[in-house]
Amino acid sequence: MSAPPDPTPSGPRVVVIGAGIVGCALADELTRRGLARVTVLDQGPLFATGGSSSHAPGLVFQTSPSATMTAFAAATVRKYRGLTLDGRPCFRPVGGLEVATTPERAADLRRRHGWALSWGVRADLLSAEECRTRWPMLSDAVLGGLATPDDGLADAVRAAAAQARDAAARGAVFRAHHTVTGVDVRGGRVRGVRTDQGDVPADAVVCAAGFWGPRIGAMAGVPVPLLPLAHQYATTDPLPELTRPGAPGPDAQPMLRHQHAALYVRRHGDRLGIGSYAHRPMPVDLADVAAPGTGPAMPSVRPFTPADYAPSWRDAVDLLPALAASRVADGINGVFSFTPDGLPLLGESREVRGFWLAEAVWVTHSAGAARAVAAWLAEGRPGIDVRECDVRRFDGARLSPAYVEERGRRSFTEVYSVVHPARPPGGPRPLRTSPFHARHRELGAHFTEAGGWERPLWFAANAGLPRPGVPERDPWSARHWSPVAAAEARATRERVALYDMTPLTRIEVAGPGALAHLERLTTNRADRPPGTVVYTLMCDDTGGVLADLTVTRLGPDLFQVGATGPLDLDRLIRLAPDDGSVRVRDTTPGTACVAVWGPRARDLVQPLSRDDFSNAGFPYLTARRAHVGAVPVTALRVSYAGELGWELCTTADLGAALWDTLWEAGRPLGAVAAGRAALDGLRLEKGYRAAGTDMTADHDPYEAGLGFAVRLGKGPFIGRDALRRRAAAAPARRLATLTLDDPSRMVLGGEPVMIDGAAAGHVTSAAFGATIGRPVAHAWLPAAAAAPGTRVSIAYFGADLAATVAAGPLVDPDGTRLRG
């Protein structure tokens, strides 16, 4: 399919590799934004190209624990509902039904109902009888269900063709049977694509090649952390139960999911299609995948393995007893893409300018993800927070083939699992450890992992600490938590504790252009005397919060930035001037950091140093080079716990010596090692926000309560004009602090906040506040409902937990302890 070229072509030349549903959706979205010079290449025919879209069953279930993924799916439903090809629809809104056959799954459906309420998806909890009204074949084992009436079935090939038709009408060109043989990269930027039928020049290349993505990425020198895995799907013989009088018709019978058995079911006329994620992970080597048209089946279809499917068939019969009289008529092992965290890979690569990814995107999220990438490429912003999908979220060893394969396998096995939000990830572990790791193991640390780093949650050595007022929690919220964490938090408030802050990303920004670079990227004023620490934000052009940082000026042209991960580092590097005046370097791997926080922090540190750690000599939000014992440190007087103290950073080789020095000196003071679970509660009591969790690019600093970190009067910075307009308007929503009435009832994040029986907002983060003796949460609410004293409830597994909007920091509101 092609169209005559625009007689006056203008704008960047964009080449999209892959004409599956994502590539076609992307071409449509790009041309909608005026980018007419779009060429879509595919090695196969159009539009059953032989990739995953060609065999995808097309189920679009919107509800997810991720607000972003739910938004992608909702956008896909909205777009495909109005899409037709040859007068026939490309989407059938048959609705969805998830059923539970165990009490655990029934509870999880109530949790999923909460997500639907939080993210604006229509959903209803059903009784077992109501489920059987929609699916008469269901067995008596069903206890209840969750109905989502706006979900439906997308015909992936037809939807791809329809979007390609619209894109072609605006000038896009689609070229079948063009096998990509190379990507032209010169000067760190993409210049074009080489194919077996000639070269195609390009200013931007988007890899939407599905499970072939790693091969295309390798041609450009870009790692694509994606694992192709086979997934089983089978269809039955014709079933009389589907066509007998009174049975629901194909457009009236919802898609069915039985997640406890990792099964989904959909109608194919008088047959059923049944997919399974219950079998063993089956990685696919791209070297074993035939090119389109060279084998008896499409490349993405592997031979069906009945032995792997047999347990799933038994589970399907248990769910739908009428299947006992039927059999598997045919089946496939269809290849799909899985990433280490189960989320897509979107955005411009770190390694090559102009080389973009739209990978590991299933039909469910295809239109929404394509719209975000198109807006990002054409307008500089995806229009929605995509932090958790940004390809640059992975770095270092997390891009290694071994890591990608092990985590990718796990992603497959957990597609339909009940995954607790606080559950520590699986292997390969340990991967990245701080110099304190051995000491933490000796203290009985319970670890989690984030960004590849091992992080203590709490320490068994503290099991004997007093923990008055810490109630028993419900079994779900008590998982991966211990009351020891509350005891560690109390010890921090009352004495002093040591926290491993090594995983906090530390970035060195240096050179004659360093100050100007930071002033342009951040909202607060970085131009302060050496030895000053500034809390600041990075925003996009619309004023959305991308990151919160600390910027420490260590010298006239030397800064240390405390960031949250690879995306912050990437932005500092990507937007640096090309003249060499700025050097940006991640120092985290070669350094170690221990925080000493609590009212006795000075009593611990000062005797170990000849440097002045007094309040007059070392005020809050200042920094200096110093020595603690024999260890040289960069000491920052900052505190994420809201208590007196310092972050002490040194080189990795001296980390163990620093810990041992502090530990021995702290024992007479009652010092403890404390973990992340304690810190979560402490920072929420203090009202501290966490970028990426409490606020994202979808929020501005004023509604997040961070207007104090914005200096509109300083020189130009990214987002200043938008923030000036936002500052002049009253926010329509605010990030509020809530306290739960019942100390024993905990929430974990993502739950809807209810006002007058309707969802008005959602919880972003929550933890037990050991100081105030009750759970604390941050939540987005309409501004009118965010006034202190407002009574709300939080829907938690179907229960309404009473809560109150609190005023300001719950602990040390005037900062006396912090600045003492």
Side-chain angles (χ1 to χ4, degrees), residues 504-509 518 522 536 538 548-554 559-564 568-569 572 584-588 636:
L504 176 71
T505 302
R506 286 171 296 284
I507 303 167
E508 180 182 278
V509 182
L518 290 170
T522 64
T536 188
M538 283 198 291
D548 64 338
L549 315 166
T550 57
V551 174
T552 302
R553 194 170 193 177
L554 298 174
F559 297 82
Q560 178 175 295
V561 177
T564 56
D568 301 342
L569 173 66
L572 287 166
V584 180
R585 182 170 66 98
D586 182 7
T587 62
T588 314
L636 281 65

Side-chain angles (χ1 to χ4, degrees), residues 646-714:
W646 291 264
E647 289 182 4
L648 306 174
C649 304
T650 189
T651 54
D653 59 320
L654 294 170
L658 176 62
W659 179 275
D660 291 344
T661 299
L662 293 165
W663 185 251
E664 289 303 316
R667 292 174 66 181
L669 302 175
V672 303
R676 186 72 197 191
L679 189 55
D680 284 342
L682 293 169
R683 70 102 176 167
L684 282 164
E685 288 181 326
K686 188 62 179 172
Y688 289 159
R689 277 74 164 124
T693 300
D694 294 320
M695 67 274 185
T696 70
D698 294 336
H699 310 104
D700 71 52
Y702 302 107
E703 56 192 10
L706 298 175
F708 66 88
V710 178
R711 295 290 183 269
L712 294 173
K714 74 168 193 168

Side-chain angles (χ1 to χ4, degrees), residues 459-621:
F459 294 87
N462 295 327
L465 292 176
R467 42 182 187 262
V470 182
E472 292 290 327
R473 287 163 61 157
D474 68 276
W476 177 258
S477 69
R479 292 187 192 180
H480 313 295
W481 183 82
S482 169
V484 172
E488 293 172 1
R490 289 288 294 269
T492 307
R493 291 274 191 244
E494 296 170 359
R495 300 187 302 280
V496 64
L498 307 184
Y499 289 85
D500 182 3
M501 302 301 286
T502 301
L504 176 71
T505 302
R506 286 171 296 284
I507 303 167
E508 180 182 278
V509 182
L515 174 60
H517 182 47
L518 290 170
E519 288 281 47
R520 175 174 172 260
L521 263 63
T522 64
T523 61
N524 211 334
R525 188 164 57 86
D527 189 8
R528 302 182 190 240
T532 304
V533 183
V534 175
Y535 177 78
T536 188
L537 309 170
M538 283 198 291
C539 292
D540 63 21
D541 288 333
T542 70
V545 178
L546 297 176
D548 64 338
L549 315 166
T550 57
V551 174
T552 302
R553 194 170 193 177
L554 298 174
D557 298 328
L558 179 62
F559 297 82
Q560 178 175 295
V561 177
T564 56
L567 296 182
D568 301 342
L569 173 66
D570 181 84
R571 187 168 176 84
L572 287 166
I573 293 174
R574 180 177 298 270
L575 298 181
D578 296 329
D579 59 8
S581 64
V582 179
R583 301 183 302 277
V584 180
R585 182 170 66 98
D586 182 7
T587 62
T588 314
T591 54
C593 182
V594 57
V596 183
W597 290 326
R600 304 208 67 183
R602 184 174 288 115
D603 297 337
L604 172 54
V605 176
Q606 184 62 84
L608 298 173
S609 181
R610 297 181 182 181
D611 298 282
D612 185 0
F613 279 78
S614 69
N615 194 43
F618 204 148
Y620 181 58
L621 291 181

